[in-house]
């Protein structure tokens, strides 16, 4: 049995949330970003979060959201963790952590080794860093683009904080990604979708099985 922690991100239906929970996902991500095909309303998010509560860590994914928006999510959805996936400064991450009493995960976009340096600033205030691929030119989505990067960049990285590999993962390549990067945590979104933004329960189960076998 693998000891790799898995986050299934961008869940938006009760069926796929149940599939992720049944398959043993450690973390489930709810997307609060209207431009994303995975965006969920606050009312839907409440239902999905209630399904996951005490079964998996609930992560609210936001992109450069203002404090009022974060407060509404905290009040209504009560996530365990906020994931900041935009250009939020370390100070904003620290402020959210103090204000809301939640965990904080910060996404850092990676294309080359020098991009990892940015993570050092965030690792002081964030509880976890998520390394995602830089979005392709023309994309207005900061993540969930199904592109990957050189996973070996994360090999032997010592951040003093947990970190997660994201970007272009699926059931066919996740074992290789874990082997090459040496990471203990992975995140998937588009790699378990049959269409953009449409999660597939069978692909979720296949991804979880591939991780467990890795």
């Amino acid at each position: 049995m693998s000891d790799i922690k898995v986050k299934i991100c961008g869940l938006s239906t009760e069926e796929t949330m149940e599939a992720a929970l049944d398959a043993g996902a450690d973390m489930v991500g709810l997307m609060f970003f209207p431009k994303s095909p995975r965006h969920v309303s606050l009312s839907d998010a409440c239902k999905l979060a209630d399904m996951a509560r005490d079964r998996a860590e609930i992560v609210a994914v936001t992109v450069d959201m203002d404090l009022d928006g974060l407060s509404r999510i905290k009040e209504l959805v009560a996530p365990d963790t906020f994931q900041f996936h935009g250009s939020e400064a370390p100070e904003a991450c620290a402020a959210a952590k103090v204000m809301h009493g939640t965990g904080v995960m910060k996404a850092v976009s990676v294309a080359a080794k020098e991009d990892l340096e940015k993570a050092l600033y965030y690792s002081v205030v964030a509880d976890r860093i998520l390394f995602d691929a830089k979005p392709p030119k023309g994309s207005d989505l900061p993540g969930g683009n199904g592109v990957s990067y050189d996973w070996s960049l994360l090999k032997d990285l010592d951040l003093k904080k947990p970190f997660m590999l994201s970007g272009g993962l699926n059931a066919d390549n996740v074992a290789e990604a874990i082997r090459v990067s040496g990471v203990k945590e992975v995140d998937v979104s588009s790699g378990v979708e049959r269409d953009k933004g449409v999660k597939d329960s069978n692909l979720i189960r296949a991804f979880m099985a591939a991780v467990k076998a890795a």
Side-chain angles (χ1 to χ4, degrees):
M1 178 68 78
S2 168
D3 60 353
I4 303 294
K5 185 173 275 197
V6 179
K7 173 167 161 272
I8 308 285
C9 201
L11 292 159
S12 58
T13 68
E14 293 184 20
E15 180 206 340
T16 53
M17 174 62 81
E18 194 56 52
L21 294 168
D22 280 349
D26 302 282
M27 307 167 84
V28 290
L30 302 173
M31 176 68 70
F32 299 91
F33 184 52
K35 285 184 179 178
S36 171
R38 305 162 187 99
H39 173 70
V40 287
S41 66
L42 280 169
S43 59
D44 285 345
C46 289
K47 290 178 204 156
L48 295 168
D50 284 345
M51 291 175 67
R53 208 162 316 278
D54 300 323
R55 297 176 68 188
E57 185 176 328
I58 301 161
V59 181
V61 184
T62 64
V63 180
D64 298 315
M65 185 176 278
D66 60 28
L67 289 173
D68 284 348
L70 295 175
S71 295
R72 277 184 66 73
I73 293 170
K74 171 62 179 164
E75 182 186 341
L76 297 171
V77 183
D80 301 300
T81 296
F82 275 109
Q83 176 182 323
F84 296 122
H85 214 110
S87 56
E88 302 89 355
E91 295 80 6
C93 299
K97 194 171 171 179
V98 172
M99 277 183 66
H100 302 300
T102 61
V104 167
M105 186 188 319
K106 179 67 180 87
V108 172
S109 298
V110 178
K113 194 168 186 68
E114 53 266 27
D115 296 320
L116 301 180
E117 290 172 16
K118 191 191 289 187
L120 299 174
Y121 300 107
Y122 288 104
S123 66
V124 178
V125 293
D127 301 289
R128 174 177 277 103
I129 301 294
L130 181 139
F131 290 106
D132 199 0
K134 282 199 172 172
K137 273 196 168 71
S139 173
D140 56 0
L141 298 178
N145 292 295
V147 294
S148 61
Y149 53 95
D150 179 359
W151 299 317
S152 68
L153 292 173
L154 302 184
K155 190 82 173 170
D156 302 323
L157 182 65
D158 183 12
L159 266 189
K160 311 286 190 241
K161 290 283 175 76
F163 58 91
M164 188 167 260
L165 170 61
S166 183
L169 298 179
N170 56 50
D172 294 329
N173 68 13
V174 67
E176 175 72 358
I178 291 166
R179 186 187 68 76
V180 169
S181 66
V183 296
K184 298 292 185 189
E185 304 186 355
V186 293
D187 168 272
V188 67
S189 185
S190 60
V192 290
E193 293 177 348
R194 60 175 179 268
D195 290 307
K196 200 160 187 68
V198 184
K199 294 285 183 287
D200 184 294
S201 296
N202 289 327
L203 292 176
I204 290 171
R205 285 188 279 268
F207 184 86
M208 291 299 301
V211 172
K212 285 172 183 172

